Coordinates of all heavy atoms in Angstrom, one line a residue:
S1 N -22.2 -6.7 5.5 CA -21.9 -5.9 4.4 C -20.4 -5.4 4.3 O -19.9 -5.1 3.3 CB -22.8 -4.6 4.3 OG -22.5 -3.8 5.4
V2 N -19.8 -5.4 5.5 CA -18.3 -5.0 5.5 C -17.5 -6.0 4.7 O -16.7 -5.5 3.9 CB -17.8 -4.9 7.0 CG1 -16.3 -4.7 7.0 CG2 -18.6 -3.8 7.7
P3 N -17.6 -7.3 4.8 CA -16.8 -8.2 4.0 C -17.0 -8.0 2.5 O -16.1 -8.0 1.7 CB -17.1 -9.6 4.4 CG -17.7 -9.4 5.8 CD -18.3 -8.1 5.8
F4 N -18.3 -7.7 2.1 CA -18.6 -7.5 0.7 C -17.9 -6.2 0.2 O -17.4 -6.1 -0.9 CB -20.1 -7.4 0.6 CG -20.6 -7.1 -0.8 CD1 -20.5 -8.1 -1.8 CD2 -21.1 -5.9 -1.2 CE1 -20.9 -7.9 -3.1 CE2 -21.5 -5.6 -2.5 CZ -21.4 -6.6 -3.4
L5 N -18.0 -5.1 1.0 CA -17.3 -3.9 0.7 C -15.8 -4.0 0.5 O -15.2 -3.5 -0.4 CB -17.6 -2.8 1.7 CG -19.1 -2.2 1.6 CD1 -19.3 -1.3 2.8 CD2 -19.4 -1.6 0.3
I6 N -15.2 -4.8 1.4 CA -13.8 -5.0 1.4 C -13.4 -5.8 0.1 O -12.4 -5.6 -0.5 CB -13.3 -5.7 2.7 CG1 -13.3 -4.7 3.8 CG2 -11.8 -6.2 2.5 CD1 -13.0 -5.3 5.2
R7 N -14.3 -6.8 -0.2 CA -14.0 -7.6 -1.4 C -14.1 -6.7 -2.7 O -13.3 -6.8 -3.6 CB -15.1 -8.7 -1.5 CG -14.9 -9.6 -2.7 CD -13.8 -10.5 -2.5 NE -13.9 -11.5 -3.5 CZ -12.8 -12.0 -4.1 NH1 -11.6 -11.6 -3.8 NH2 -12.9 -12.9 -5.1
L8 N -15.0 -5.7 -2.7 CA -15.2 -4.8 -3.8 C -14.1 -3.8 -3.9 O -13.6 -3.4 -4.9 CB -16.5 -4.1 -3.8 CG -17.7 -5.0 -4.2 CD1 -19.0 -4.2 -4.1 CD2 -17.6 -5.4 -5.7
F9 N -13.7 -3.3 -2.7 CA -12.7 -2.2 -2.6 C -11.6 -2.6 -1.6 O -11.6 -2.2 -0.5 CB -13.4 -0.9 -2.0 CG -14.6 -0.5 -2.8 CD1 -15.9 -0.8 -2.3 CD2 -14.5 0.1 -4.1 CE1 -17.0 -0.4 -3.0 CE2 -15.6 0.4 -4.8 CZ -16.9 0.2 -4.3
P10 N -10.6 -3.4 -2.1 CA -9.5 -3.9 -1.2 C -8.7 -2.8 -0.6 O -8.1 -2.9 0.4 CB -8.7 -4.8 -2.1 CG -9.1 -4.5 -3.5 CD -10.4 -3.9 -3.5
D11 N -8.7 -1.6 -1.2 CA -8.0 -0.5 -0.6 C -8.6 0.0 0.7 O -7.9 0.5 1.5 CB -7.9 0.7 -1.6 CG -7.0 0.5 -2.8 OD1 -6.2 -0.4 -2.7 OD2 -7.2 1.2 -3.8
L12 N -9.8 -0.3 0.9 CA -10.4 0.0 2.2 C -9.8 -0.8 3.3 O -9.6 -0.3 4.4 CB -11.9 -0.3 2.2 CG -12.8 0.6 1.4 CD1 -14.3 0.1 1.4 CD2 -12.8 2.0 2.0
L13 N -9.4 -2.0 3.0 CA -8.7 -2.9 4.0 C -7.4 -2.2 4.4 O -7.1 -2.1 5.6 CB -8.5 -4.3 3.5 CG -7.8 -5.2 4.4 CD1 -8.7 -5.6 5.5 CD2 -7.4 -6.5 3.6
T14 N -6.7 -1.8 3.4 CA -5.4 -1.1 3.7 C -5.6 0.2 4.5 O -4.8 0.4 5.4 CB -4.7 -0.8 2.4 OG1 -4.5 -2.0 1.7 CG2 -3.3 -0.2 2.6
K15 N -6.5 0.9 4.1 CA -6.7 2.3 4.7 C -7.3 2.2 6.1 O -6.9 2.9 7.0 CB -7.5 3.2 3.8 CG -6.9 3.5 2.5 CD -5.6 4.3 2.7 CE -5.0 4.6 1.3 NZ -3.7 5.0 1.4
F16 N -8.4 1.5 6.3 CA -9.2 1.6 7.5 C -9.0 0.5 8.5 O -9.3 0.6 9.7 CB -10.7 1.8 7.1 CG -10.9 3.0 6.4 CD1 -11.2 3.0 5.1 CD2 -10.9 4.2 7.1 CE1 -11.4 4.2 4.4 CE2 -11.1 5.4 6.4 CZ -11.3 5.4 5.1
V17 N -8.5 -0.6 8.1 CA -8.2 -1.7 9.0 C -6.8 -1.6 9.6 O -6.6 -1.6 10.8 CB -8.4 -3.1 8.4 CG1 -8.0 -4.2 9.3 CG2 -9.9 -3.3 8.0
F18 N -5.8 -1.4 8.7 CA -4.4 -1.3 9.2 C -4.1 0.1 9.6 O -3.1 0.3 10.2 CB -3.5 -1.8 8.1 CG -3.7 -3.2 7.7 CD1 -4.0 -3.6 6.5 CD2 -3.5 -4.2 8.7 CE1 -4.2 -5.0 6.2 CE2 -3.7 -5.5 8.4 CZ -4.1 -5.9 7.1
L19 N -4.8 1.1 9.1 CA -4.6 2.5 9.5 C -3.2 3.0 9.2 O -2.6 3.7 9.9 CB -4.9 2.8 11.0 CG -6.4 2.5 11.4 CD1 -6.5 2.7 12.9 CD2 -7.3 3.4 10.7
N20 N -2.7 2.5 8.0 CA -1.3 2.9 7.7 C -1.1 4.3 7.2 O 0.0 4.7 6.9 CB -0.7 1.9 6.7 CG -1.5 1.9 5.4 OD1 -2.4 2.6 5.2 ND2 -1.0 1.1 4.5
F21 N -2.2 5.1 7.1 CA -2.1 6.5 6.8 C -1.9 7.4 8.0 O -1.6 8.6 7.8 CB -3.3 7.0 6.0 CG -4.6 6.8 6.8 CD1 -5.1 7.9 7.5 CD2 -5.3 5.7 6.7 CE1 -6.3 7.7 8.3 CE2 -6.5 5.5 7.4 CZ -7.0 6.5 8.2
L22 N -2.0 6.8 9.2 CA -1.7 7.6 10.4 C -0.2 7.5 10.8 O 0.4 6.5 10.7 CB -2.5 7.0 11.6 CG -4.0 7.2 11.5 CD1 -4.7 6.5 12.7 CD2 -4.4 8.7 11.4
A23 N 0.3 8.6 11.1 CA 1.7 8.7 11.6 C 1.6 9.0 13.1 O 1.0 10.0 13.5 CB 2.4 9.8 10.9
F24 N 2.3 8.2 13.9 CA 2.3 8.4 15.3 C 3.7 8.4 15.8 O 4.5 7.5 15.4 CB 1.5 7.3 16.1 CG 1.3 7.5 17.5 CD1 0.4 8.4 18.0 CD2 2.2 6.9 18.4 CE1 0.3 8.7 19.3 CE2 2.1 7.1 19.8 CZ 1.1 8.0 20.2
P25 N 4.1 9.3 16.6 CA 3.4 10.3 17.3 C 3.0 11.4 16.3 O 3.7 11.7 15.3 CB 4.4 10.9 18.3 CG 5.7 10.5 17.9 CD 5.5 9.2 17.0
F26 N 1.9 12.0 16.6 CA 1.3 13.0 15.7 C 2.2 14.2 15.6 O 2.8 14.6 16.6 CB -0.1 13.5 16.1 CG -1.1 12.3 16.2 CD1 -1.6 11.9 17.4 CD2 -1.4 11.6 15.0 CE1 -2.4 10.8 17.5 CE2 -2.3 10.6 15.1 CZ -2.8 10.2 16.3
F27 N 2.4 14.8 14.4 CA 3.1 16.0 14.2 C 4.6 15.9 14.4 O 5.3 16.9 14.6 CB 2.6 17.2 14.9 CG 1.1 17.4 14.7 CD1 0.2 17.2 15.8 CD2 0.6 17.8 13.5 CE1 -1.2 17.3 15.6 CE2 -0.8 17.9 13.3 CZ -1.7 17.7 14.3
A28 N 5.1 14.7 14.5 CA 6.6 14.5 14.7 C 7.3 14.5 13.3 O 6.7 14.0 12.4 CB 6.8 13.1 15.4
D29 N 8.4 15.1 13.3 CA 9.2 15.1 12.1 C 10.1 13.9 12.1 O 11.1 13.9 12.8 CB 10.1 16.4 12.0 CG 10.8 16.5 10.7 OD1 10.7 15.7 9.8 OD2 11.6 17.5 10.6
L30 N 9.7 12.8 11.4 CA 10.4 11.6 11.5 C 11.7 11.6 10.7 O 12.5 10.7 10.8 CB 9.5 10.5 10.9 CG 8.2 10.2 11.7 CD1 7.4 9.2 11.1 CD2 8.6 9.9 13.2
R31 N 12.0 12.7 10.0 CA 13.3 12.9 9.4 C 14.4 13.4 10.4 O 15.5 13.4 10.1 CB 13.2 13.9 8.2 CG 12.4 13.3 7.1 CD 12.1 14.4 6.1 NE 11.2 15.3 6.8 CZ 10.8 16.5 6.2 NH1 11.1 16.8 5.0 NH2 10.0 17.3 6.9
R32 N 13.9 13.7 11.6 CA 14.8 14.2 12.6 C 14.6 13.4 13.9 O 14.1 13.8 14.9 CB 14.6 15.7 12.9 CG 14.7 16.5 11.6 CD 15.1 17.9 11.8 NE 16.1 18.2 12.8 CZ 16.1 19.2 13.6 NH1 15.2 20.1 13.6 NH2 17.1 19.3 14.5
P33 N 15.1 12.1 13.9 CA 14.8 11.2 15.0 C 15.5 11.7 16.3 O 15.1 11.2 17.4 CB 15.3 9.9 14.5 CG 16.4 10.2 13.5 CD 15.9 11.5 12.8
E34 N 16.6 12.5 16.2 CA 17.3 12.9 17.4 C 16.4 13.7 18.3 O 16.7 13.8 19.5 CB 18.5 13.7 17.0 CG 18.3 15.0 16.3 CD 18.1 14.9 14.8 OE1 18.1 13.8 14.3 OE2 18.0 16.0 14.2
L35 N 15.3 14.2 17.8 CA 14.3 14.9 18.6 C 13.5 14.0 19.4 O 12.8 14.3 20.4 CB 13.5 15.9 17.8 CG 14.2 16.9 17.0 CD1 13.2 17.7 16.1 CD2 15.0 17.9 17.9
L36 N 13.4 12.7 19.0 CA 12.5 11.7 19.6 C 13.3 10.7 20.4 O 12.9 10.2 21.5 CB 11.7 11.0 18.5 CG 10.8 11.8 17.7 CD1 10.2 11.0 16.5 CD2 9.7 12.3 18.5
L37 N 14.5 10.3 19.9 CA 15.3 9.3 20.5 C 16.8 9.7 20.6 O 17.3 10.3 19.7 CB 15.3 8.0 19.6 CG 14.0 7.3 19.4 CD1 14.1 6.3 18.3 CD2 13.5 6.7 20.7
N38 N 17.4 9.4 21.7 CA 18.8 9.8 21.9 C 19.7 8.9 21.1 O 19.4 7.8 20.8 CB 19.2 9.6 23.4 CG 18.5 10.6 24.3 OD1 18.1 11.7 23.9 ND2 18.2 10.2 25.5
N39 N 20.8 9.5 20.6 CA 21.8 8.8 19.9 C 21.3 8.1 18.6 O 21.6 7.0 18.3 CB 22.5 7.7 20.7 CG 22.8 8.3 22.1 OD1 23.4 9.4 22.2 ND2 22.6 7.5 23.1
T40 N 20.4 8.8 17.9 CA 19.8 8.3 16.7 C 19.9 9.3 15.5 O 19.7 10.5 15.8 CB 18.3 8.0 16.9 OG1 18.2 7.1 18.0 CG2 17.6 7.4 15.7
I41 N 20.2 8.8 14.3 CA 20.2 9.7 13.1 C 19.4 9.0 12.0 O 19.2 7.8 12.1 CB 21.6 10.0 12.6 CG1 22.3 8.8 12.2 CG2 22.4 10.8 13.7 CD1 23.6 9.0 11.3
S42 N 19.0 9.8 11.1 CA 18.3 9.3 9.9 C 19.2 9.2 8.7 O 20.0 10.1 8.4 CB 17.2 10.3 9.6 OG 16.4 9.8 8.5
L43 N 19.2 8.0 8.1 CA 20.0 7.8 6.9 C 19.1 7.3 5.8 O 18.0 6.8 6.0 CB 21.1 6.7 7.2 CG 22.1 6.9 8.3 CD1 22.8 5.6 8.6 CD2 23.0 8.0 7.9
Y44 N 19.6 7.4 4.6 CA 18.8 6.9 3.4 C 19.7 6.0 2.6 O 20.9 6.4 2.3 CB 18.3 8.1 2.6 CG 17.3 8.9 3.3 CD1 17.7 10.0 4.1 CD2 16.0 8.6 3.3 CE1 16.8 10.8 4.8 CE2 15.1 9.3 4.1 CZ 15.5 10.4 4.8 OH 14.6 11.1 5.5
L45 N 19.2 4.8 2.2 CA 20.0 3.9 1.4 C 19.3 3.7 0.1 O 18.1 3.5 0.0 CB 20.1 2.5 2.1 CG 20.7 2.5 3.5 CD1 20.6 1.1 4.1 CD2 22.2 2.9 3.4
T46 N 20.1 3.7 -1.0 CA 19.5 3.4 -2.3 C 19.8 2.0 -2.6 O 20.9 1.5 -2.7 CB 20.2 4.3 -3.4 OG1 20.0 5.7 -3.0 CG2 19.6 4.0 -4.7
T47 N 18.7 1.2 -2.6 CA 18.8 -0.3 -2.8 C 18.8 -0.7 -4.2 O 19.5 -1.6 -4.6 CB 17.6 -1.0 -2.1 OG1 16.4 -0.5 -2.6 CG2 17.7 -0.7 -0.6
E48 N 18.1 0.1 -5.0 CA 18.0 -0.2 -6.5 C 17.9 1.2 -7.1 O 17.5 2.2 -6.4 CB 16.8 -1.0 -6.9 CG 16.9 -2.4 -6.3 CD 15.6 -3.2 -6.7 OE1 14.9 -2.8 -7.5 OE2 15.4 -4.3 -6.1
P49 N 18.1 1.3 -8.4 CA 17.9 2.7 -9.0 C 16.4 3.1 -8.8 O 15.5 2.3 -9.2 CB 18.2 2.4 -10.5 CG 19.2 1.3 -10.5 CD 18.8 0.4 -9.3
G50 N 16.2 4.2 -8.3 CA 14.9 4.8 -8.1 C 14.2 4.3 -6.8 O 13.1 4.7 -6.5
I51 N 14.9 3.5 -6.0 CA 14.3 3.0 -4.7 C 15.2 3.4 -3.6 O 16.3 3.0 -3.5 CB 14.1 1.5 -4.7 CG1 13.1 1.1 -5.8 CG2 13.6 1.0 -3.4 CD1 12.8 -0.3 -6.0
T52 N 14.7 4.3 -2.7 CA 15.4 4.7 -1.6 C 14.7 4.3 -0.3 O 13.5 4.5 -0.2 CB 15.6 6.3 -1.6 OG1 16.3 6.6 -2.8 CG2 16.4 6.8 -0.4
V53 N 15.4 3.8 0.7 CA 14.9 3.3 1.9 C 15.4 4.2 3.0 O 16.6 4.4 3.2 CB 15.2 1.8 2.2 CG1 14.7 1.4 3.5 CG2 14.8 1.0 1.0
G54 N 14.5 4.8 3.8 CA 14.9 5.6 5.0 C 15.1 4.7 6.2 O 14.3 3.8 6.4
I55 N 16.2 4.9 6.9 CA 16.5 4.1 8.1 C 16.9 5.0 9.2 O 17.3 6.2 9.0 CB 17.6 3.1 7.9 CG1 18.9 3.8 7.5 CG2 17.2 2.1 6.8 CD1 20.1 2.9 7.6
W56 N 16.7 4.5 10.4 CA 17.3 5.2 11.6 C 18.4 4.3 12.1 O 18.3 3.1 12.2 CB 16.2 5.3 12.7 CG 15.2 6.4 12.5 CD1 15.2 7.3 11.5 CD2 14.1 6.7 13.3 NE1 14.1 8.1 11.6 CE2 13.5 7.8 12.8 CE3 13.7 6.1 14.5 CZ2 12.3 8.3 13.4 CZ3 12.6 6.7 15.1 CH2 11.9 7.8 14.5
H57 N 19.5 5.0 12.5 CA 20.6 4.3 13.1 C 20.7 4.7 14.6 O 20.9 5.9 14.8 CB 21.9 4.5 12.4 CG 23.1 3.9 13.0 ND1 24.3 4.4 13.1 CD2 23.2 2.7 13.7 CE1 25.2 3.7 13.7 NE2 24.5 2.6 14.1
T58 N 20.5 3.8 15.5 CA 20.6 4.1 16.9 C 21.7 3.3 17.5 O 21.7 2.1 17.3 CB 19.2 3.7 17.6 OG1 18.2 4.4 17.0 CG2 19.3 4.1 19.1
V59 N 22.6 4.0 18.2 CA 23.7 3.2 18.9 C 23.2 2.8 20.2 O 22.3 3.4 20.8 CB 25.0 4.1 19.0 CG1 25.5 4.4 17.6 CG2 24.8 5.4 19.7
P60 N 23.7 1.7 20.8 CA 23.3 1.2 22.1 C 23.7 2.2 23.2 O 24.6 3.1 23.1 CB 24.0 -0.1 22.3 CG 25.2 0.0 21.3 CD 24.8 0.9 20.2
G61 N 23.0 2.1 24.3 CA 23.3 2.9 25.5 C 24.7 2.9 26.0 O 25.2 3.9 26.5
S62 N 25.4 1.8 25.8 CA 26.8 1.7 26.2 C 27.7 2.6 25.4 O 28.8 2.9 25.9 CB 27.2 0.2 26.1 OG 27.2 -0.2 24.7
R63 N 27.2 3.0 24.2 CA 28.0 4.0 23.4 C 27.4 5.4 23.4 O 27.8 6.2 22.6 CB 28.2 3.5 22.0 CG 28.9 2.1 21.9 CD 29.1 1.7 20.5 NE 30.2 2.5 19.9 CZ 30.5 2.4 18.6 NH1 30.0 1.5 17.9 NH2 31.5 3.1 18.2
A64 N 26.5 5.6 24.3 CA 25.8 6.9 24.3 C 26.7 8.1 24.6 O 26.6 9.1 23.9 CB 24.7 6.9 25.4
A65 N 27.6 8.0 25.5 CA 28.5 9.1 25.8 C 29.4 9.3 24.7 O 29.7 10.5 24.3 CB 29.3 8.7 27.1
E66 N 29.9 8.3 24.0 CA 30.7 8.4 22.8 C 30.0 9.1 21.6 O 30.6 9.8 20.9 CB 31.2 7.0 22.4 CG 32.2 7.0 21.3 CD 32.6 5.6 20.9 OE1 32.2 4.6 21.6 OE2 33.3 5.4 19.9
A67 N 28.7 8.9 21.5 CA 27.9 9.4 20.4 C 27.5 10.8 20.5 O 27.1 11.4 19.5 CB 26.7 8.5 20.2
Q68 N 27.6 11.4 21.7 CA 27.1 12.8 21.9 C 27.9 13.7 21.0 O 29.1 13.8 21.0 CB 27.4 13.2 23.4 CG 26.5 12.4 24.4 CD 25.0 12.8 24.2 OE1 24.6 13.9 23.9 NE2 24.2 11.7 24.3
G69 N 27.1 14.5 20.3 CA 27.6 15.5 19.4 C 28.3 15.1 18.1 O 28.9 15.9 17.4
K70 N 28.2 13.8 17.8 CA 28.9 13.3 16.6 C 28.0 13.5 15.4 O 26.8 13.7 15.4 CB 29.1 11.8 16.7 CG 30.0 11.4 17.9 CD 31.4 12.0 17.8 CE 32.2 11.4 18.9 NZ 33.5 11.9 19.0
D71 N 28.7 13.6 14.2 CA 28.0 13.8 13.0 C 27.6 12.5 12.3 O 27.9 11.4 12.8 CB 28.8 14.7 12.1 CG 30.2 14.1 11.7 OD1 30.5 13.0 12.2 OD2 30.9 14.7 10.9
Q72 N 27.0 12.6 11.1 CA 26.6 11.5 10.4 C 27.7 10.5 10.0 O 27.6 9.3 10.0 CB 25.8 11.9 9.1 CG 25.3 10.7 8.3 CD 24.5 11.1 7.1 OE1 23.9 12.2 7.2 NE2 24.4 10.3 6.1
R73 N 28.9 11.1 9.7 CA 30.0 10.3 9.4 C 30.4 9.3 10.5 O 30.7 8.1 10.3 CB 31.2 11.1 9.0 CG 32.4 10.4 8.5 CD 33.5 11.4 8.2 NE 34.8 10.7 7.9 CZ 35.2 10.4 6.6 NH1 34.5 10.8 5.6 NH2 36.3 9.8 6.4
W74 N 30.4 9.8 11.7 CA 30.7 8.9 12.9 C 29.7 7.8 13.0 O 30.1 6.6 13.2 CB 30.7 9.7 14.2 CG 31.0 8.9 15.4 CD1 32.3 8.7 15.9 CD2 30.2 8.1 16.2 NE1 32.2 7.9 16.9 CE2 30.9 7.5 17.2 CE3 28.8 7.9 16.2 CZ2 30.4 6.7 18.2 CZ3 28.2 7.1 17.2 CH2 29.0 6.5 18.1
Y75 N 28.4 8.0 12.7 CA 27.4 7.0 12.8 C 27.6 5.9 11.7 O 27.5 4.7 11.9 CB 26.0 7.5 12.7 CG 25.5 8.1 14.0 CD1 25.8 9.4 14.4 CD2 24.8 7.3 14.9 CE1 25.4 9.9 15.6 CE2 24.3 7.8 16.1 CZ 24.6 9.2 16.4 OH 24.2 9.6 17.6
E76 N 28.0 6.4 10.5 CA 28.3 5.5 9.4 C 29.5 4.6 9.7 O 29.5 3.4 9.4 CB 28.5 6.3 8.1 CG 27.2 6.9 7.6 CD 27.5 7.9 6.4 OE1 28.6 8.1 6.0 OE2 26.5 8.4 5.9
E77 N 30.5 5.2 10.3 CA 31.7 4.4 10.7 C 31.3 3.4 11.8 O 31.9 2.3 11.9 CB 32.8 5.3 11.1 CG 33.4 6.1 10.0 CD 34.4 7.2 10.4 OE1 34.7 7.3 11.6 OE2 35.0 7.8 9.5
A78 N 30.4 3.8 12.7 CA 30.0 2.9 13.7 C 29.3 1.7 13.2 O 29.3 0.6 13.8 CB 29.1 3.6 14.7
L79 N 28.6 1.8 12.0 CA 28.0 0.7 11.4 C 29.0 -0.3 10.9 O 28.7 -1.5 10.7 CB 27.1 1.1 10.2 CG 25.7 1.7 10.6 CD1 25.1 2.3 9.4 CD2 24.9 0.7 11.2
A80 N 30.2 0.2 10.5 CA 31.2 -0.7 9.9 C 32.1 -1.4 10.9 O 33.0 -2.1 10.5 CB 32.1 0.1 8.9
D81 N 32.0 -1.1 12.2 CA 32.9 -1.7 13.2 C 32.4 -3.1 13.5 O 31.5 -3.6 12.9 CB 33.0 -0.8 14.5 CG 31.7 -0.7 15.2 OD1 30.8 -1.4 15.0 OD2 31.7 0.2 16.1
A82 N 33.1 -3.7 14.5 CA 32.8 -5.2 14.8 C 31.6 -5.4 15.6 O 31.3 -6.6 15.9 CB 34.0 -5.7 15.5
H83 N 30.9 -4.4 16.0 CA 29.7 -4.6 16.8 C 28.5 -5.2 16.0 O 28.4 -4.8 14.8 CB 29.2 -3.3 17.5 CG 30.2 -2.8 18.5 ND1 31.3 -2.0 18.2 CD2 30.3 -3.0 19.8 CE1 31.9 -1.7 19.2 NE2 31.4 -2.3 20.3
P84 N 27.7 -6.0 16.6 CA 26.6 -6.6 15.8 C 25.5 -5.5 15.5 O 25.4 -4.5 16.2 CB 26.0 -7.6 16.7 CG 26.4 -7.3 18.1 CD 27.7 -6.5 17.9
V85 N 24.8 -5.7 14.4 CA 23.7 -4.8 14.0 C 22.4 -5.5 14.0 O 22.3 -6.7 13.5 CB 24.0 -4.3 12.5 CG1 22.8 -3.5 12.0 CG2 25.3 -3.5 12.5
I86 N 21.4 -4.9 14.7 CA 20.1 -5.5 14.7 C 19.2 -4.7 13.8 O 19.1 -3.5 13.9 CB 19.6 -5.5 16.2 CG1 20.5 -6.3 17.1 CG2 18.1 -6.0 16.2 CD1 20.1 -6.2 18.5
I87 N 18.5 -5.4 12.9 CA 17.6 -4.7 11.9 C 16.2 -5.0 12.4 O 15.8 -6.2 12.5 CB 17.9 -5.3 10.5 CG1 19.3 -4.9 10.1 CG2 16.9 -4.6 9.6 CD1 19.7 -5.5 8.8
Y88 N 15.5 -4.0 12.6 CA 14.1 -4.1 13.0 C 13.2 -3.6 11.8 O 13.3 -2.4 11.4 CB 13.8 -3.2 14.2 CG 12.3 -3.1 14.5 CD1 11.6 -4.2 15.0 CD2 11.7 -1.9 14.4 CE1 10.3 -4.1 15.3 CE2 10.3 -1.8 14.7 CZ 9.6 -2.9 15.1 OH 8.3 -2.8 15.4
L89 N 12.4 -4.5 11.2 CA 11.5 -4.1 10.1 C 10.1 -3.9 10.7 O 9.5 -4.8 11.2 CB 11.5 -5.3 9.1 CG 12.9 -5.6 8.6 CD1 12.8 -6.9 7.7 CD2 13.5 -4.5 7.8
H90 N 9.7 -2.6 10.6 CA 8.5 -2.2 11.3 C 7.2 -2.5 10.5 O 6.1 -2.4 11.0 CB 8.6 -0.8 11.7 CG 8.7 0.1 10.5 ND1 7.7 0.5 9.7 CD2 9.8 0.7 10.0 CE1 8.1 1.2 8.7 NE2 9.4 1.4 8.9
G91 N 7.3 -2.7 9.2 CA 6.2 -2.9 8.4 C 6.1 -1.8 7.3 O 7.0 -1.1 7.0
N92 N 4.9 -1.7 6.7 CA 4.8 -0.8 5.5 C 3.9 0.3 5.8 O 3.2 0.8 4.9 CB 4.3 -1.6 4.3 CG 2.9 -2.2 4.5 OD1 2.4 -2.1 5.6 ND2 2.4 -2.8 3.5
G93 N 3.8 0.8 7.0 CA 2.9 1.9 7.4 C 3.3 3.3 6.9 O 2.6 4.2 7.1
G94 N 4.5 3.4 6.3 CA 4.9 4.7 5.8 C 5.5 5.6 6.8 O 5.9 6.7 6.6
T95 N 5.7 5.0 8.0 CA 6.4 5.7 9.1 C 7.5 4.9 9.7 O 7.6 3.7 9.4 CB 5.4 6.1 10.2 OG1 4.9 4.9 10.8 CG2 4.2 6.9 9.8
R96 N 8.3 5.5 10.4 CA 9.4 4.7 11.1 C 9.1 4.6 12.5 O 9.7 4.6 13.4 CB 10.7 5.4 10.9 CG 11.1 5.3 9.5 CD 12.5 5.8 9.3 NE 12.5 6.6 8.1 CZ 13.4 7.5 7.8 NH1 14.4 7.7 8.6 NH2 13.4 8.2 6.7

């Protein structure tokens, strides 16, 4: 009966199989990643009118001492330097 219910209600697949409504770790404020990860800030990019994508920018451990106490402007400038950028796409679970 489960395949039949999923066929009738495809939203069930999204909600209960992929569990994308759960945010882990529980009760974490994902807008403040510095509380979870060192040398990380939260940024928002507008890709198209009306579409904003939230991202975290984490500098590598080799730049950890340099990043201590820096503001958002420093992190934005760090994105523009000659170091490579790795983009990790986590999926569509609504969390980072």
